[in-house]
């Protein structure tokens, strides 16, 4: 598929929480706010907007230090990102939005929906963070990963090769190759933010399962079953206990909307059709 998007893309910086946060906007229709995984960027959602922008307005946010947004002093965490999303919703006066969050973006979507329930119509959680208990074993693993990225940020010559191998596991399917190559190319640049995020995952506050259980918002769990970092067997029980939640599983890694676009789109549109009309 050509990278050109048939719907005009507006790229602009919004002043949010004292930071010029870059967003990409395209399409026409009900608003979908897209929140990417750490080390990725708003371009993750370009082809989703290419496919569905005739029916929806997609607003994709570049987290600080990723994509086109500048770094900030505040460390990366789902809580910080939720505040930024809330600032975007308020700054653009967005209502009846769907939040589509991947990885840390999913955790940020959950927290934002809890804080801005009057603005959020539904959640699509793609291999979302925050849904695994921050027990000692998980915390050890997260700190190990943080040290990996700290070494990369410090100039470890072995880091680029390791990161490329790592991302062949994170996004294993051919449809995601275009984006995987871009993410790998930016790995050294993103390493400091990745280290901060992984440090945050080791903290007790990273476990936001109680927040999810209290949400009245309709939810679609769109999960890639090949994900080794956020495996479905650790999340599926929780998802099945959420009243009214929908579940769509894919033979994909961390980001089914990149790896299995046709199957993801079908599940996404089916979920949208189940929601009350905006403003109803």
């Amino acid at each position: 598929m050509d990278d050109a998007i048939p719907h005009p893309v507006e790229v602009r910086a919004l002043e949010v929480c004292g930071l010029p946060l870059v967003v990409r906007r395209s399409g026409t229709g009900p608003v979908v706010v897209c929140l990417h995984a750490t080390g990725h960027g708003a371009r993750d959602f370009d082809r989703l907007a290419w496919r569905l922008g005739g029916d929806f307005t997609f607003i994709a946010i570049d987290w600080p230090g990723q994509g086109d947004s500048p770094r900030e002093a505040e460390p990366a965490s789902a809580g910080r990102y939720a505040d930024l999303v809330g600032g975007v919703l308020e700054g653009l006066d967005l209502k009846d939005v769907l939040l589509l969050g991947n990885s840390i973006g999913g955790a940020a979507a959950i927290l934002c929906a809890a804080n801005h329930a009057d603005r959020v119509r539904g959640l699509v959680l793609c291999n979302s963070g925050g849904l695994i208990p921050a027990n000692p074993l998980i915390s050890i693993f997260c700190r190990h990963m943080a040290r990996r990225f700290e070494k990369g940020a410090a100039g470890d010559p072995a880091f680029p090769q390791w990161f490329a191998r790592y991302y062949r596991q994170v996004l294993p399917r051919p449809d995601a190759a275009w984006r995987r190559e871009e993410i790998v190319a930016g790995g050294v640049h993103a390493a400091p933010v990745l280290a901060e995020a992984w440090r945050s995952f080791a903290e007790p506050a990273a476990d936001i399962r109680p927040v999810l259980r209290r949400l009245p918002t309709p939810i679609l769990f769109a999960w890639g079953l090949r994900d080794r970092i956020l495996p479905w067997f650790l999340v599926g029980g929780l998802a099945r206990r959420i009243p009214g939640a929908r579940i769509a599983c894919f033979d994909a890694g961390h980001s089914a909307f990149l790896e299995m676009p046709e199957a993801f789109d079908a599940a996404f549109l089916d979920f949208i059709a189940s929601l009350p009309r905006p403003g109803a």
Side-chain angles (χ1 to χ4, degrees), residues 171-267:
L171 299 175
R173 292 188 65 98
D175 276 311
W178 70 278
R179 190 64 183 124
R180 181 175 63 240
E181 291 170 3
E182 293 179 344
I183 293 165
V184 167
V188 173
H189 173 77
V193 176
L194 281 157
E196 293 172 356
W198 278 97
R199 288 282 177 196
S200 78
F201 301 156
E203 299 300 321
D207 181 357
I208 59 172
R209 292 174 297 165
V211 179
L212 181 73
R213 294 189 186 102
R214 294 193 297 267
L215 285 181
T217 313
I219 298 170
L220 169 64
F221 292 88
W223 221 269
L225 298 180
R226 293 198 204 179
D227 195 338
R228 300 182 183 183
I229 301 299
L230 295 170
W232 179 246
F233 74 85
L234 290 179
V235 179
L238 170 66
R240 287 187 285 268
R241 291 193 296 272
I242 301 298
R246 294 192 169 216
I247 295 171
C249 292
F250 305 89
D251 182 26
H254 199 52
S255 309
F257 56 91
L258 284 169
E259 300 175 75
M260 299 188 69
E262 292 182 2
F264 176 85
D265 290 358

Side-chain angles (χ1 to χ4, degrees), residues 35-41 44 63-64 66 76-78 81 102-105 149 163 166-167 170 183 190-198 200-201 254:
L35 313 173
H36 66 81
T38 319
H40 289 215
D44 275 15
W63 300 132
Q66 296 147 86
S77 70
Y81 289 176
N102 183 204
S103 194
I104 197 172
F149 290 113
F163 192 63
Y166 171 60
Y167 254 82
V170 175
I183 293 165
V193 176
L194 281 157
E196 293 172 356
W198 278 97
S200 78
F201 301 156
H254 199 52

